[in-house]
Amino acid sequence: DQLWQKGVTLVTTSNRAPNDLYKNGLNRSQFVPCIEAIMAKCAVHEMRSGRDYRLMGHKNEDLYEDPRDERLRLGASRGACSSSENQNKSSGTWRVFTVGDKESKERSNQWLTGKLQRFAKNDRMVTVDVSVQGRRIRVNNASGGVARLTFNEICDAALGAGDYTAIASVFHTVGVEQIPRLTMGRVDLMRRFITFIDVLYEHKVKLLATAAETPGELFRRPGVCVAKGGTAGTVNVDEAFAWDRAASRLAEMASREYVEAPWRPKSGAWLLEQAKIQEVVPTSVLRALWMRYDADHNGVLDESELGCLLGDLNEMRRGHRNVPEEQLSSAWEVLTNRGKRGVGNRKGMGTVDSEFDTCDDSGGPAQRKMPSRRGDAFITFDDFIDYGNEAFAACASE
């Protein structure tokens, strides 16, 4: 109303006609006056198209298994694809297993393991906790910015969009295994899965999955007819509409354009804000944050990665990202190994291969020099644990 009163011209788009906005929503009657104002003051144009532009992207050949191997049924939606070329090929981002066939499911698990190990640079998977508003989301298998989750862990649990956003802000690649066929009998599972896909899509997280069907056939619409005004029929239509969009997004997530698009997580300051509630941050939470700041996933933090951490801490505490040279130098001096050339085994957080004859202080194997503008120094995970708890304690006391 204020916009119209001030003479502002409003141009907006929606995937629903005005009369269908927030349909079946809680207390929708309070929103009806807004709909009536839109209908009275705006010219509504239906931009109908039979083409799904999410399916226009180029398929990334590197992500395709051999389509001649008929044992493999991978891929983007058979039902959603608009071209015979897309329908005949198999995408290496989504593998279908045969329900009830243990060997088929095992092959799918091996496929997913191989894919994720490649993205994680073959680092050993460890357990981490992603912190959201004081709560912790357990991720049992994570390494190098890559997470492996089961369908039940993300959808058969009390998780919502905020939780999925935190996951999408820590991991640039997520593998999901054992996605079942979705039915109206467990509509809660389908709704969470749709929300999960929406969040990954918005943040450009790469998705690898094993499932009982291709996206286009994962949800089969129930053939139920209900009289006009019947609740069940309306809900079915709403869920089918939401799933069509999710299936379309899943198809786009297999395209070259999507796979090559840069990851778009929430800011590091937002992620730190989720964890600062506790005075002492658990090691499992810091391990997840480590994956965010160890950008090159080489097992240590260099000067530029420390600068990103300090910038995020400053934004959270002072509202700006400026990192003075004195602050960086002081943190670097306190936290680095002061010229040691090796980093010991850090509970799965990564080690560095050797090209030197020297050993670390504990007599461990010789390891190669780490690149840094300040010479040999770098920050290990144990250093990060100490600094993380000190920093969050300082934030909590302000």
Side-chain angles (χ1 to χ4, degrees), residues 55-116:
L55 304 180
M56 299 294 290
H58 296 87
K59 293 298 178 182
N60 188 338
E61 296 302 323
D62 292 337
L63 291 179
Y64 282 88
E65 304 288 344
D66 186 352
R68 295 169 297 182
D69 188 349
E70 295 182 356
R71 294 173 303 169
L72 300 181
R73 299 173 60 220
L74 316 174
S77 165
R78 288 184 306 198
C81 289
S82 60
S83 70
S84 59
E85 179 183 359
N86 286 342
Q87 292 174 0
N88 291 334
K89 285 192 174 182
S90 299
S91 166
T93 62
W94 185 284
R95 172 148 183 169
V96 177
F97 59 80
T98 302
V99 177
D101 187 334
K102 292 184 179 180
E103 291 186 4
S104 175
K105 184 171 289 188
E106 181 60 28
R107 287 195 298 269
S108 296
N109 287 337
Q110 292 174 357
W111 170 87
L112 185 60
T113 298
K115 293 279 187 178
L116 294 178

Side-chain angles (χ1 to χ4, degrees), residues 146-338:
V146 175
R148 180 171 186 161
L149 301 161
T150 67
F151 177 83
N152 286 340
E153 286 173 341
I154 59 175
C155 295
D156 199 11
L159 300 178
D163 304 296
Y164 301 145
T165 298
I167 291 173
S169 297
V170 172
F171 305 108
H172 57 73
T173 301
V174 173
V176 180
E177 58 183 305
Q178 302 174 21
I179 303 174
R181 293 189 179 97
L182 304 174
T183 67
M184 292 301 299
R186 288 298 308 271
V187 70
D188 57 320
L189 299 183
M190 183 169 69
R191 286 172 176 165
R192 288 196 188 100
F193 187 61
I194 290 173
T195 301
F196 179 70
I197 295 303
D198 287 344
V199 170
L200 297 192
Y201 180 87
E202 294 298 331
H203 294 286
K204 292 294 181 285
V205 175
K206 312 308 180 274
L207 173 67
L208 299 166
T210 65
E213 269 297 351
T214 55
E217 297 183 1
L218 202 60
F219 170 61
R220 296 185 178 178
R221 294 154 182 74
V224 178
C225 295
V226 179
K228 185 175 181 180
T231 303
T234 303
V235 171
N236 289 351
V237 170
D238 289 344
E239 302 306 334
F241 178 88
W243 178 255
D244 285 342
R245 184 186 64 178
S248 173
R249 287 186 164 185
L250 285 169
E252 183 184 352
M253 291 167 80
S255 69
R256 183 193 310 164
E257 288 83 356
Y258 183 92
V259 171
E260 294 178 353
W263 180 37
R264 296 193 310 205
K266 293 278 282 187
S267 71
W270 179 88
L271 199 60
L272 292 171
E273 185 73 25
Q274 305 305 305
K276 78 162 190 173
I277 298 173
Q278 306 171 62
E279 290 190 4
V280 177
V281 183
T283 300
S284 58
V285 174
L286 287 171
R287 188 171 281 124
L289 292 174
W290 171 272
M291 293 186 186
R292 171 66 181 261
Y293 290 102
D294 182 17
D296 53 9
H297 307 303
N298 64 354
V300 296
L301 297 187
D302 60 23
E303 183 184 8
S304 63
E305 292 165 337
L306 175 62
C308 289
L309 170 60
L310 293 175
D312 289 338
L313 283 170
N314 286 346
E315 182 178 347
M316 182 181 69
R317 298 164 66 184
R318 304 184 179 94
H320 66 78
R321 295 189 53 79
N322 180 51
V323 180
E325 178 63 26
E326 313 86 74
Q327 181 186 13
L328 181 60
S329 297
S330 175
W332 190 256
E333 176 64 23
V334 170
L335 291 171
T336 60
N337 62 345
R338 295 180 178 82

